[in-house]
Amino acid sequence: MENFNFYSPTEFVFGKDRENETGYYLKKYGAKKVLIHYGSGSVIKSGLLDRVKKSLSDSGIEFTELGGVKPNPRDTKVYEGIELCRRENVDFILSVGGGSCIDSSKAIAAGVPYEGDFWDFYCGKAYVKKALPVGTVLTIAAAGSEGSGGSVITKEEGMLKRSTGSDLLRPKFSILNPALTCTLPPYQTACGAADIMAHVFERYFTNTNNVEITDRLCEAVLLTMIKEVPKVIENPLDYDARANIMWAGTVAHNDIVGVGRSQDWNSHAIEHELSGLYDCAHGAGLAVVMPAWMEYVCDHNVMRMARMAVQVFGCQMDYENPKETALKGIAQFRRFLHDIGLPVNFEELGAKCDDIPTIAKNMGIEGTTGGYVKLTTQDVVNILTIAAKASV
Ligand code: NZQ
Ligand code: ZN
């Protein structure tokens, strides 16, 4: 096991009706003037926004609001938010929505005290040194942004999707009421599930040996997802299944299942190009990319892939031919994604084979990238070619 620091300072406030305590937590973390930031309308339709506003009013907290965050959140909305916060002397950003809304909130939080262009943080020109505090009321189990220091923003011009990360962007508190996710369309639920599983796999495939505790935690989260996700696809109102998935989503990405070992993240890097180019859901892109990546890198450590097949997908170990076992596990993963309603190839995703060289080039790989298997631009072309034609 490698040395590590584990820093997850967010206070998670979990359970039914907990959004009614938003005002209390804002006060606790010193908010005086809040920007309530939300998406394209689901929180208005569900009545959540009104409940949150009431909670703030009851606690005597002033607020202003900015809606309209799109999935794959855009830089244009961030600029609007930064300007509004400066004009209104906002000192705390409250995100009410999903990962896109949280990421946009984090970008605004970093941008307000920064004299330059906030995009500097996303194109590698600058590091976040100061940020307004952020709190969240989460409405979808997926990105894990409610517990992470990451933020992913798309530059409207050229649809360039890029990320940044800083412990300063970890939310002060995140309110997780699983019941809020019951209004999600099944497709969005499934996209979230794929993202959660991908966050674990990015950490599970490691070159660090003997990190049994983290391996086992990863397997536990994956097994939970395999058991609980079909339940909510079948019955969207299943509270306990929603609760298990919601907590799995947070645990999958606050890094507790990744400490003490190297991690990969190439599937995410490849996928961000897809959701940037086609504006598809991140989880849908991962459903296409990740099994293809697994097939491509299988030989790097056949026994690790075979372990995944056995421990997570219940395959029988073939000791004579472990690669067979490994490939069976990958096939089962793809089958699971298909069965919950996700695309597994380019046609189903709405992607074009002709774009493969451009997608690979746009990643801007200098030499190689990735923590498990180092990939070149040509490797990415090969992976996308497998992904393009995959079937169950
Ligand atoms: O905008 P509204 O109207 O709220 O609708 C949203 C949106 O259309 C809808 N939705 C959310 N909660 C709902 C609901 N509809 C009905 N009922 C509810 N309770 O679902 C759609 C998707 O929302 P979005 O916020 O985009 O989903 P998600 O949480 O999957 O976030 C995706 C973004 O997060 C990034 C992705 O790249 C993508 O841009 N990621 C962020 C990470 C991070 N910050 O740590 C890590 C991830 O790997 C990921 O890259
Ligand atoms: Zn993700």
Side-chain angles (χ1 to χ4, degrees), residues 205 291 294-295 297-310 313 315-319 321-334 372:
F205 292 103
M294 287 177 174
E295 280 169 10
V297 304
C298 185
D299 286 330
H300 175 70
N301 183 345
V302 172
M303 288 311 286
R304 178 139 279 268
M305 199 64 77
R307 173 174 173 158
M308 180 277 290
V310 173
F313 290 99
C315 298
Q316 283 277 347
M317 183 68 197
D318 182 342
Y319 291 97
N321 192 350
K323 186 158 181 189
E324 273 300 300
T325 310
L327 293 176
K328 271 189 191 149
I330 300 167
Q332 287 218 36
F333 179 37
R334 194 180 268 127
Y372 182 58

Side-chain angles (χ1 to χ4, degrees), residues 270-348:
I270 299 171
E271 193 296 314
H272 283 165
E273 297 304 325
L274 293 179
S275 46
L277 186 63
Y278 302 114
D279 204 13
C280 59
H282 171 59
L286 285 167
V288 173
V289 170
M290 193 150 227
W293 171 86
M294 287 177 174
E295 280 169 10
Y296 193 72
V297 304
C298 185
D299 286 330
H300 175 70
N301 183 345
V302 172
M303 288 311 286
R304 178 139 279 268
M305 199 64 77
R307 173 174 173 158
M308 180 277 290
V310 173
Q311 300 287 359
V312 179
F313 290 99
C315 298
Q316 283 277 347
M317 183 68 197
D318 182 342
Y319 291 97
E320 301 294 312
N321 192 350
K323 186 158 181 189
E324 273 300 300
T325 310
L327 293 176
K328 271 189 191 149
I330 300 167
Q332 287 218 36
F333 179 37
R334 194 180 268 127
R335 158 73 56 190
F336 174 82
L337 296 166
H338 167 83
D339 287 353
I340 61 172
L342 290 171
V344 295
N345 56 41
F346 265 35
E347 198 188 335
E348 289 172 10

Side-chain angles (χ1 to χ4, degrees), residues 39-43 69 71-73 98-101 103 106 139-140 142-145 148 150-152 161 180-181 183-185 188 195 199 253 268 272 282:
S40 307
S42 75
V43 299
V69 179
N72 300 317
S100 295
C101 191
D103 286 3
K106 289 175 176 176
T139 60
I140 172 171
S145 189
S148 83
S151 164
V152 191
K161 191 170 181 178
L180 297 178
T181 66
T183 53
L184 278 167
Q188 283 300 340
D195 195 17
H199 291 162
H253 202 44
H268 265 70
H272 283 165
H282 171 59

Side-chain angles (χ1 to χ4, degrees), residues 29 90 138 140 163 187 189 204 219 225 259 300 302 323 339 372 385:
Y29 289 100
V90 164
L138 186 66
I140 172 171
S163 60
Y187 183 70
T189 298
Y204 189 71
E219 288 161 2
M225 295 301 289
V259 294
H300 175 70
V302 172
K323 186 158 181 189
D339 287 353
Y372 182 58
T385 305

Side-chain angles (χ1 to χ4, degrees), residues 157-325:
E157 195 189 323
M159 289 300 277
L160 203 63
K161 191 170 181 178
R162 293 292 177 263
S163 60
T164 192
S166 165
D167 281 338
L168 295 169
L169 298 179
R170 288 180 185 266
K172 297 287 172 216
F173 68 86
S174 282
I175 297 187
L176 314 179
N177 174 359
L180 297 178
T181 66
C182 290
T183 53
L184 278 167
Y187 183 70
Q188 283 300 340
T189 298
C191 286
D195 195 17
I196 293 168
M197 294 176 81
H199 291 162
V200 179
F201 281 131
E202 296 280 16
R203 295 169 163 101
Y204 189 71
F205 292 103
T206 179
N207 295 319
T208 313
N209 293 322
N210 302 322
V211 198
E212 191 64 12
I213 172 68
T214 311
D215 280 342
R216 294 286 181 185
L217 288 172
C218 285
E219 288 161 2
V221 176
L222 292 164
L223 285 165
T224 301
M225 295 301 289
I226 291 166
K227 187 166 175 213
E228 302 297 322
V229 175
K231 290 188 194 168
V232 295
I233 299 294
E234 177 73 26
N235 173 15
L237 302 180
D238 185 333
Y239 177 84
D240 285 328
R242 290 281 188 194
N244 278 291
I245 294 167
M246 195 169 220
W247 188 235
T250 300
V251 167
H253 202 44
N254 80 341
D255 215 26
I256 197 159
V257 302
V259 294
R261 62 210 279 149
S262 67
Q263 306 180 5
D264 190 60
W265 296 99
N266 265 335
S267 297
H268 265 70
I270 299 171
E271 193 296 314
H272 283 165
E273 297 304 325
L274 293 179
S275 46
L277 186 63
Y278 302 114
D279 204 13
C280 59
H282 171 59
L286 285 167
V288 173
V289 170
M290 193 150 227
W293 171 86
M294 287 177 174
E295 280 169 10
Y296 193 72
V297 304
C298 185
D299 286 330
H300 175 70
N301 183 345
V302 172
M303 288 311 286
R304 178 139 279 268
M305 199 64 77
R307 173 174 173 158
M308 180 277 290
V310 173
Q311 300 287 359
V312 179
F313 290 99
C315 298
Q316 283 277 347
M317 183 68 197
D318 182 342
Y319 291 97
E320 301 294 312
N321 192 350
K323 186 158 181 189
E324 273 300 300
T325 310

